Amino acid sequence: MLRRSILVFSSLLLLGLAGCVISPRRDVVSGGGGGGPATGKLYVTNEINNSIIRFDNAFTANGNVTPAATIVGAATQISGPKYIFLDASADRLFVANPGVPNILIYDNISTTNGNVAPSRVITSTSLTTPTDVALDKGRDQLYVADTNGVLVFAAASTTNGLNVPIRNIQSGFTPSALFVDAASDRLFAADAINNAINVYDGASSLSGAAVAVTRRLTGASTQLSQPFGLQIDSTGRLVVSNFAPTPSITIYANAAGVNGNVAPVATISGSNTTLNGPTQLTINSVAAGGELFVGDPFGGNIPVFGSISTIAGTQNIAPTRNITGANTTITSGGPNARGVAIDTTR
């Protein structure tokens, strides 16, 4: 009897251990409080509607989908929102808000909905027309593209109210987009007027009027045409959106060293792309090869291009997915859908 009990117990123990081994890990990619696997959350600024919308299931969202949340109303203080930056680990969204002008900060953004006031607001007499924001999380500094250059604010995770920027990078042009490679302490700033991308090494030490550009991507071979969005893909390539007159995405090898009149290694352009005037870009790095989400304010859509890190040559390709239609609230005739950011952890 004792022997039989031991055998039964041993069998149950083995079955329990086997169950532990074969059960899928739910904490590999967190579901953001729910414990389930992440499905992605996409944030979009609706400029003409003075709102921010959120699409859940961003990894699969396609077509005429309805937003899961809309942040809109007098309490939000949203006024002509431009570009956004998401600090996913803190569940925090930074919003360039030129209509006031100020920077809106929403904590717990993944659950925010309706006529909700921002958690904090950065105001400054130095702000005139903020259009883009980028975070150096390690140094806790927020970079803001403004009319006359780039302003940098300290204590980005906690600051509130009236601020004086700790640095003023007077670039000599109006930046149309920013990208901060914090790990390399490098700042990329797009210059739409002069069709150039300016690259600054040692970004955390830059200030004042005599800031020298480390490298500059410009010239006819670059195919830059009013660059309005910047990203770096998983292979270290620089991805640029070109607004007009020929809407396109151009991609350059070795973002860290790109310089001069260099041709792109890949170009996405043509009628199949649905691109009308692309602006801010965001990359879903969880997808194989990376998915590129494109804000297209006058097209009234968000085209998504798959395997962005492997695209080469000139491609007149259709997006693998396209968030578009009346239910999305980003219909054409905008500007709508100017800023985009994705949370791949929730």
Side-chain angles (χ1 to χ4, degrees):
M1 186 70 178
L2 177 61
R3 178 180 175 84
R4 183 177 179 182
S5 298
I6 292 172
L7 287 172
V8 171
F9 176 77
S10 299
S11 299
L12 291 172
L13 179 61
L14 287 171
L15 285 171
L17 290 173
C20 290
V21 171
I22 63 174
S23 294
R25 284 190 61 188
R26 296 171 67 85
D27 60 341
V28 174
V29 182
S30 171
T39 59
K41 294 183 183 293
L42 177 69
Y43 299 90
V44 181
T45 59
N46 247 354
E47 182 179 353
I48 200 170
N49 295 332
N50 293 325
S51 65
I52 297 167
I53 57 179
R54 188 188 79 235
F55 294 96
D56 292 348
N57 302 308
F59 295 162
T60 56
N62 189 29
N64 192 19
V65 291
T66 301
T70 301
I71 304 171
V72 65
T76 69
Q77 303 181 45
I78 297 172
S79 180
K82 301 290 188 183
Y83 290 5
I84 50 181
F85 185 94
L86 179 71
D87 179 359
S89 63
D91 198 17
R92 179 177 296 132
L93 188 71
F94 297 85
V95 184
N97 196 44
V100 176
N102 57 21
I103 306 299
L104 306 178
I105 305 168
Y106 284 92
D107 293 333
N108 305 309
I109 187 62
S110 65
T111 56
T112 300
N113 190 21
N115 187 14
V116 180
S119 308
R120 290 175 285 120
V121 180
I122 297 176
T123 63
S124 177
T125 57
S126 300
L127 287 170
T128 55
T129 312
T131 56
D132 197 2
V133 281
L135 179 66
D136 182 340
K137 188 173 176 67
R139 297 177 178 86
D140 200 18
Q141 295 180 359
L142 186 70
Y143 288 69
V144 179
D146 205 273
T147 303
N148 298 314
V150 180
L151 305 174
V152 184
F153 295 93
S157 60
T158 57
T159 192
N160 190 29
L162 185 62
N163 272 257
V164 176
I166 56 170
R167 292 185 286 126
N168 185 348
I169 305 170
Q170 299 172 37
S171 58
F173 62 92
T174 298
S176 49
L178 297 179
F179 185 88
V180 173
D181 180 356
S184 301
D185 197 17
R186 183 172 293 124
L187 170 66
F188 296 79
D191 180 356
I193 293 176
N194 296 299
N195 291 326
I197 309 297
N198 295 279
V199 186
Y200 303 87
D201 293 342
S204 62
S205 62
L206 300 178
S207 188
V211 174
V213 175
T214 309
R215 290 175 299 283
R216 182 176 169 88
L217 177 67
T218 190
S221 296
T222 67
Q223 300 178 37
L224 291 172
S225 182
Q226 296 185 34
F228 267 85
L230 300 170
Q231 274 290 325
I232 295 178
D233 71 14
S234 61
T235 63
R237 304 194 303 177
L238 179 65
V239 184
V240 181
S241 68
N242 297 281
F243 185 79
T246 303
S248 68
I249 306 295
T250 48
I251 303 173
Y252 307 86
N254 186 23
V258 68
N259 191 31
N261 189 15
V262 178
V265 295
T267 300
I268 301 172
S269 180
S271 58
N272 292 336
T273 67
T274 76
L275 296 173
N276 282 270
T279 52
Q280 192 172 24
L281 307 171
T282 189
I283 293 178
N284 169 16
S285 57
V286 173
E291 283 185 315
L292 182 71
F293 289 70
V294 183
D296 201 325
F298 293 97
N301 65 325
I302 303 171
V304 184
F305 297 94
S307 301
I308 191 67
S309 64
T310 63
I311 290 176
T314 300
Q315 303 288 340
N316 180 13
I317 54 175
T320 52
R321 293 186 285 127
N322 200 355
I323 300 172
T324 183
N327 291 343
T328 68
T329 72
I330 52 173
T331 52
S332 59
N336 283 326
R338 189 177 292 275
V340 290
I342 190 168
D343 184 346
T344 62
T345 68
R346 292 178 172 81

